[in-house]
C-alpha cells in the first residue's frame, strides 16, 4: 500500500475508535466497505485497528474523571424529561439524524407516548468535535411548528448551560446549537446509544 492510502485508512480508523461507539469488528467491517476497491489484507487491517485502539487506551489515562461526554449524556437524560428525544451518533448526516428521530418518535407513539421534539448529533459532528473541540446539536419538533421548535431549542440550550457548557446559539430554529469548547473523550462502554439507546433512555427518564 502507498503511504497516502495508509494515512487515510489510519485516519478513518482513529476517528471510529475515538468516537467510542464501535466494536473492533464493526470498525473492520466499515473500513473494508469504505476501501473495498483497495484489496487490503485482513491481517494488516486488524493490526492497524489494534494499534490505534491501544493508542486510544493510552490517551484515556490523561482524561478527567468526568469528561464532557459524561456531562453530555447527563444533559440528554435531562432533555428527555422535557419530552424531547435525544440521540447520540444519529446517522452520518443531518438528514439521517432527522430520519432516526422520526423513527424513535413512531416507536414511542406505539407506547402511547407523545414526544414533542428531538435533538441529536451525527457522526460528522463527532469528527468535528474530535478535530476542533466543538459539538453541534441539531433540534426540532415533529409538526413543523416554528414556535414549538424555538421553545425546544431554548429548553435544550438552558439544560446545557445549567450543566456548565458554553453554548452558542442565535435563537434561530434553522441554526444548530454549538457547544464550544467540547472535548470529545468517550471510551467504548458497550452501552446502547443511537436509536435504540435513545428509545430506552426516553422511556427511563421521561415521567
Amino acid at each position: 500500500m502507498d503511504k497516502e492510502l495508509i494515512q487515510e485508512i489510519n485516519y478513518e480508523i482513529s476517528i471510529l475508535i475515538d468516537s467510542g461507539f464501535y466494536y473492533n469488528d464493526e470498525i473492520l467491517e466499515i473500513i473494508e466497505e469504505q476501501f473495498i476497491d483497495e484489496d487490503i489484507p485482513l491481517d494488516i487491517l486488524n493490526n492497524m485497528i489494534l494499534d490505534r485502539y491501544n493508542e486510544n487506551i493510552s490517551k484515556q489515562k490523561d482524561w478527567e474523571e468526568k469528561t464532557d461526554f459524561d456531562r453530555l449524556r447527563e444533559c440528554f437524560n435531562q432533555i428527555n424529561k422535557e419530552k424531547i428525544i435525544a440521540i447520540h451518533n444519529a446517522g452520518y448526516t443531518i438528514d439521517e439524524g432527522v430520519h432516526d428521530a422520526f423513527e424513535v418518535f413512531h416507536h414511542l407513539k406505539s407506547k402511547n407516548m407523545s414526544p414533542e421534539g428531538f435533538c441529536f448529533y451525527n457522526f460528522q459532528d463527532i469528527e468535528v468535535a474530535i478535530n476542533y473541540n466543538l459539538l453541534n446539536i441539531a433540534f426540532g419538533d415533529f409538526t413543523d411548528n416554528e414556535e414549538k421548535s424555538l421553545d425546544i431549542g431554548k429548553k435544550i440550550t438552558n439544560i446545557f448551560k445549567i450543566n456548565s457548557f458554553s453554548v452558542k446559539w442565535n435563537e434561530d430554529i434553522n441554526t444548530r446549537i454549538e457547544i464550544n469548547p467540547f472535548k470529545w473523550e468517550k471510551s467504548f462502554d458497550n452501552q446502547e446509544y443511537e436509536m435504540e439507546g435513545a428509545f430506552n433512555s426516553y422511556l427511563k427518564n421521561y415521567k
Side-chain angles (χ1 to χ4, degrees), residues 6 11 68 74 91 97 107 116 126-127 133 147 153 158 162 176 178-179 183 198 204:
I6 291 174
Y11 173 78
D68 283 352
E74 292 174 2
H107 285 299
E116 294 181 355
I126 295 171
E127 185 173 1
N133 291 335
E147 185 175 343
N158 186 54
I162 288 172
R176 292 192 293 170
E178 180 183 300
I179 305 175
K183 193 172 184 180
K204 178 182 177 181

Side-chain angles (χ1 to χ4, degrees), residues 35 40 51 60 76 83 89 92 137 149 164 170 181 187 203:
F35 295 92
I40 306 164
D51 287 345
Q60 292 179 29
F76 273 27
K83 298 183 71 172
N89 193 26
Y92 187 73
I137 305 291
S149 286
S164 301
N170 60 3
S187 59
L203 291 178

Side-chain angles (χ1 to χ4, degrees), residues 159-174:
I159 288 171
F160 288 145
K161 288 181 177 179
I162 288 172
N163 285 273
S164 301
F165 280 116
S166 177
V167 181
K168 296 180 180 179
W169 182 51
N170 60 3
E171 296 195 359
D172 181 343
I173 62 172
N174 296 309

Side-chain angles (χ1 to χ4, degrees), residues 11-202:
Y11 173 78
E12 296 299 334
I13 290 172
S14 294
I15 294 296
L16 289 164
I17 289 174
D18 288 348
S19 76
F21 286 111
Y22 301 99
Y23 291 100
N24 283 4
D25 288 348
E26 291 177 310
I27 294 172
L28 178 61
E29 183 178 341
I30 292 168
I31 295 298
E32 282 187 309
E33 182 176 340
Q34 187 170 346
F35 295 92
I36 193 169
D37 295 329
E38 301 298 338
D39 193 26
I40 306 164
L42 190 60
D43 60 331
I44 292 179
L45 280 181
N46 275 319
N47 287 334
M48 293 171 76
I49 292 170
L50 183 59
D51 287 345
R52 292 293 171 259
Y53 178 78
N54 288 334
E55 286 181 15
N56 180 272
I57 293 296
S58 180
K59 287 190 296 185
Q60 292 179 29
K61 298 174 184 177
D62 298 323
W63 292 1
E64 297 289 336
E65 184 176 349
K66 191 172 186 178
T67 67
D68 283 352
F69 181 83
D70 293 329
R71 294 194 294 130
L72 176 69
R73 184 168 47 207
E74 292 174 2
C75 287
F76 273 27
N77 291 339
Q78 294 169 29
I79 287 168
N80 289 158
K81 296 176 182 179
E82 299 292 335
K83 298 183 71 172
I84 301 169
I85 297 166
I87 312 177
H88 297 275
N89 193 26
Y92 187 73
T93 64
I94 292 178
D95 287 344
E96 289 178 1
V98 172
H99 177 270
D100 287 358
F102 273 88
E103 283 285 315
V104 177
F105 171 75
H106 290 304
H107 285 299
L108 288 169
K109 288 284 284 186
S110 71
K111 296 284 188 182
N112 296 316
M113 306 189 81
S114 301
E116 294 181 355
F118 62 85
C119 71
F120 65 84
Y121 59 88
N122 57 48
F123 191 78
Q124 288 182 331
D125 297 322
I126 295 171
E127 185 173 1
V128 170
I130 291 171
N131 288 321
Y132 301 105
N133 291 335
L134 65 90
L135 182 66
N136 288 306
I137 305 291
F139 68 93
D141 77 302
F142 294 105
T143 59
D144 289 328
N145 183 306
E146 292 187 5
E147 185 175 343
K148 185 178 289 187
S149 286
L150 181 60
D151 183 57
I152 288 167
K154 288 180 178 179
K155 286 179 179 177
I156 294 167
T157 300
N158 186 54
I159 288 171
F160 288 145
K161 288 181 177 179
I162 288 172
N163 285 273
S164 301
F165 280 116
S166 177
V167 181
K168 296 180 180 179
W169 182 51
N170 60 3
E171 296 195 359
D172 181 343
I173 62 172
N174 296 309
T175 303
R176 292 192 293 170
I177 298 166
E178 180 183 300
I179 305 175
N180 186 2
F182 186 96
K183 193 172 184 180
W184 188 272
E185 293 175 333
K186 180 189 181 303
S187 59
F188 182 79
D189 54 18
N190 203 29
Q191 293 187 29
E192 293 176 344
Y193 291 97
E194 299 162 340
M195 285 195 292
E196 186 173 358
F199 175 80
N200 291 331
S201 179
Y202 190 94

